[in-house]
Amino acid sequence: KNQVEQSPQSLIILEGKNCTLQCNYTVSPFSNLRWYKQDTGRGPVSLTIMTFSENTKSNGRYTATLDADTKQSSLHITASQLSDSASYICVVPNGGATNKLIFGTGTLLAVQP
Amino acid sequence: EPEVTQTPSHQVTQMGQEVILRCVPISNHLYFYWYRQILGQKVEFLVSFYNNEISEKSEIFDDQFSVERPDGSNFTLKIRSTKLEDSAMYFCASSGGGGRNNEQFFGPGTRLTVL
């Protein structure tokens, strides 16, 4: 069954610190992996999309890595800000021709002053 | 910057009533989706729609659900006879292409509460 798992479930860090969120997926065939940021009560907003040939991709203070061999990805947030407090969701399109997205359960990040 | 919009932001209804959730996708997009997120759970795919017909639907999308593009701008999700377990956030998304590498843009969601 195609699944996306994330860890940790939740994380509390102090403003200015860095953190790394993890994602494991079992989707085949694999095309790409996305990281979304979801503020409470809002829709997901895309941070990065990585295809199987990309190992690292940055978007400002966000850096995503992908290891297609081990089917793992990470999202590193540098110099965290209070506004980074949100749920970070790892998403992979379902295998095959469909564009249906498989969502992970997300990591709830709280950045404290 | 173009964005997906959804109305209403919050809908409260009685069990057994019909509700229509509305979405205005990004104007030049051709592929449309509905997802839902029950409180505390992951976002789940409901249905995809292209060229005025359903491309794919999940097992959640049973006969009580229907989708429609009634005009050139709106995309609606109708739930015919709501149940308590339909309470969730419903997200509309759209994309310019239907391929697996095409980005989907999500609306802010409609919170549906069934009493």
Side-chain angles (χ1 to χ4, degrees):
Chain A
K1 183 180 178 183
N2 290 332
Q3 284 189 318
V4 178
E5 302 292 336
Q6 292 186 243
S7 62
Q9 266 192 326
S10 61
L11 184 61
I12 301 173
I13 62 173
L14 294 176
E15 186 178 12
K17 297 297 185 183
N18 305 333
C19 65
T20 301
L21 315 179
Q22 303 291 342
C23 173
N24 298 292
Y25 60 92
T26 57
V27 178
S28 181
F30 175 77
S31 58
N32 62 76
L33 182 143
R34 309 152 188 227
W35 282 94
Y36 282 84
K37 178 185 180 186
Q38 185 179 23
D39 292 311
T40 302
R42 306 293 295 174
V45 175
S46 178
L47 295 175
T48 66
I49 297 179
M50 300 182 70
T51 62
F52 64 88
S53 61
E54 296 176 293
N55 299 120
T56 303
K57 199 164 193 177
S58 291
N59 177 6
R61 295 180 295 103
Y62 302 105
T63 299
T65 66
L66 175 65
D67 185 336
D69 292 329
T70 61
K71 299 187 177 182
Q72 294 180 326
S73 175
S74 66
L75 180 70
H76 186 74
I77 304 174
T78 305
S80 60
Q81 300 175 359
L82 297 178
S83 59
D84 292 334
S85 296
S87 183
Y88 291 85
I89 310 175
C90 179
V91 182
V92 180
N94 197 36
T98 179
N99 198 13
K100 162 185 168 181
L101 298 179
I102 308 290
F103 283 74
T105 49
T107 292
L108 185 60
L109 175 66
V111 180
Q112 294 185 341
Chain B
E1 186 172 330
E3 57 183 15
V4 177
T5 59
Q6 291 185 241
T7 55
S9 57
H10 191 189
Q11 173 88 48
V12 181
T13 189
Q14 295 289 327
M15 190 170 56
Q17 295 297 303
E18 175 183 286
V19 296
I20 297 177
L21 310 183
R22 291 182 167 81
C23 168
V24 178
I26 293 173
S27 63
N28 61 345
H29 284 182
L30 300 175
Y31 296 81
F32 314 113
Y33 313 85
W34 284 101
Y35 293 82
R36 80 171 186 189
Q37 185 176 30
I38 294 172
L39 186 64
Q41 298 185 21
K42 61 177 72 173
V43 177
E44 303 171 285
F45 169 80
L46 289 178
V47 65
S48 59
F49 189 87
Y50 169 71
N51 199 27
N52 278 320
E53 59 183 33
I54 291 173
S55 309
E56 184 176 3
K57 59 183 181 180
S58 71
E59 60 274 11
I60 303 168
F61 194 89
D62 60 22
D63 291 344
Q64 70 164 338
F65 291 93
S66 62
V67 289
E68 190 178 34
R69 189 155 163 82
D71 53 44
S73 60
N74 290 284
F75 178 51
T76 62
L77 174 69
K78 181 191 291 186
I79 309 175
R80 258 179 277 281
S81 177
T82 51
K83 306 171 190 170
L84 295 177
E85 54 265 35
D86 293 328
S87 295
M89 280 288 281
Y90 287 82
F91 295 106
C92 172
S94 70
S95 63
R100 285 173 287 162
N101 289 335
N102 285 102
E103 184 171 352
Q104 294 181 26
F105 295 84
F106 286 80
T110 292
R111 179 172 298 283
L112 176 65
T113 302
V114 182
L115 303 176

